[in-house]
C-alpha cells in the first residue's frame, strides 16, 4: 500500500503512523507543506494521511496551501481512496466535506479519556470501544460532515471522531500517533508553555510516563488496520 502523509509543520510528523506503515510493509512518502512542496496526485496514493498543526482551516492568507489541500482531500475521496485526518487534518477533512470548523470554547491539551458512541462498535474505532486514553492538543473543533457519523466524544469536546464519505474519511480530533519524541517536539515548539485551563495539563504532566505512549501505538495500529481493511458503520 502507498501511504502518503501531508505534514504542516516540522514538529508534527507522522510519528507512530510511520512505525505502523513500516511494520505492515507499506510504502510511506510525505509532503512537507511548510517547505513549499507540491501536493501529490490522488492516483499516486492508496491512503492519504493529513497531519496536525497549530494553524486553523481558515488561516488561508498565512497558509495558502490550505484550500489546495482541501481540494486534494475531496479529489482523493472522489477517487474512492481513504483519507485519515488527525487534529488539524481531521478539521481539514471535515471542511473539505462541507462541515463547519471553528474555535472551541475551551482548549484541550493533555491525556484525557475518550468515550466512544454506539456507532463506534461498527467502525474502525471498534477495537477501542467503549473508552480509551488519548493525547489531545487542540483549540478548534469540527462539526460532523453531512451523512457522517459521530464516533467519539470527551467532556471537553463533544465531536472527537467521525466517519464520513461512505466510510472513506476517518477524522480524529485526538492523537493516537503521538510518541514521546513527537510530544516532546510539541512542548519544545511552545517553549514548554502549554497554557492554562480546566482541560490543559503542564509540559511535565504530558511527559511524565512512558506507558500511555505504548497504549496509543497499540490503539493506532488496530484502528488503521481496521480502517484500511474497510471497516465502516
Amino acid at each position: 500500500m502507498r501511504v502518503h502523509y501531508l505534514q504542516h509543520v516540522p514538529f508534527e510528523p507522522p510519528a507512530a503512523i510511520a512505525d505502523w506503515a513500516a511494520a505492515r510493509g507499506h510504502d510511506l512518502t510525505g509532503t512537507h507543506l511548510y517547505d513549499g512542496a507540491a501536493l501529490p496526485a490522488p492516483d499516486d496514493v492508496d491512503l492519504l494521511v493529513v497531519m496536525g498543526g497549530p494553524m486553523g482551516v481558515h488561516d488561508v492568507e498565512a497558509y495558502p496551501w490550505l484550500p489546495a489541500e482541501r481540494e486534494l482531500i475531496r479529489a482523493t475521496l472522489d477517487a474512492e481512496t481513504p483519507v485519515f485526518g488527525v487534529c488539524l487534518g481531521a478539521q481539514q477533512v471535515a471542511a473539505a466535506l462541507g462541515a463547519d470548523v471553528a474555535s472551541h470554547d475551551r482548549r484541550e491539551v493533555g491525556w484525557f479519556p475518550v468515550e466512544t458512541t454506539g456507532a463506534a462498535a461498527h467502525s474502525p474505532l471498534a477495537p477501542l470501544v467503549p473508552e480509551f486514553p488519548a493525547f489531545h492538543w487542540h483549540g478548534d473543533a469540527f462539526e460532523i460532515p453531512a451523512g457522517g457519523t459521530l464516533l467519539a466524544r470527551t467532556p471537553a469536546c463533544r465531536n472527537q471522531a467521525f466517519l464520513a464519505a461512505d466510510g472513506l474519511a476517518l477524522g480524529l480530533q485526538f492523537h493516537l500517533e503521538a510518541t514521546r519524541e513527537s510530544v516532546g517536539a510539541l512542548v519544545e515548539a511552545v517553549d514548554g508553555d502549554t497554557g492554562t485551563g480546566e482541560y490543559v495539563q503542564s509540559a511535565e504532566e504530558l511527559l511524565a510516563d512512558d506507558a500511555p505512549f505504548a497504549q496509543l501505538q497499540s490503539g493506532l495500529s488496530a484502528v488503521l488496520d481496521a480502517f484500511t481493511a474497510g471497516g465502516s458503520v
Side-chain angles (χ1 to χ4, degrees), residues 20-191:
W20 167 81
R24 300 298 184 268
H26 300 320
D27 294 328
L28 181 68
T29 56
T31 298
H32 294 178
L33 289 157
Y34 55 88
D35 276 341
L39 291 166
D43 291 344
D44 292 337
V45 303
D46 300 313
L47 170 65
L48 182 66
V49 177
V50 190
M51 298 308 304
M55 62 287 294
V57 302
H58 304 298
D59 295 337
V60 296
E61 289 190 12
Y63 306 99
W65 43 261
L66 283 164
E69 184 178 77
R70 291 194 288 271
E71 291 176 9
L72 172 62
I73 290 168
R74 284 190 292 267
T76 302
L77 293 171
D78 287 344
E80 300 186 350
T81 297
V83 177
F84 176 56
V86 176
C87 202
L88 170 65
Q91 296 162 11
Q92 279 282 81
V93 174
L97 293 172
D100 290 335
V101 178
S103 178
H104 197 40
D105 58 2
R106 66 194 79 179
R107 295 179 67 238
E108 193 174 24
V109 178
W111 296 98
F112 302 107
V114 177
E115 176 191 4
T116 59
T117 67
H122 307 285
S123 82
L125 261 59
L128 305 183
V129 169
E131 185 178 281
F132 57 94
F135 182 75
H136 306 258
W137 193 308
H138 70 99
D140 291 349
F142 51 71
E143 295 298 324
I144 305 302
T149 304
L150 174 65
L151 301 179
R153 61 173 71 91
T154 64
C157 183
R158 71 180 186 276
N159 293 339
Q160 286 284 352
F162 67 83
L163 195 67
D166 296 323
L168 289 171
L170 176 62
L172 307 183
Q173 186 61 72
F174 49 87
H175 297 264
L176 290 180
E177 87 290 352
T179 62
R180 171 170 282 279
E181 292 74 21
S182 70
V183 173
L186 281 168
V187 169
E188 185 176 350
V190 297
D191 294 325

Side-chain angles (χ1 to χ4, degrees), residues 22 36 53 60 81 112 149 165 201 218 224 228 231-232:
V60 296
T81 297
F112 302 107
T149 304
Q201 295 177 346
S218 175
L224 287 177
T228 54
S232 62

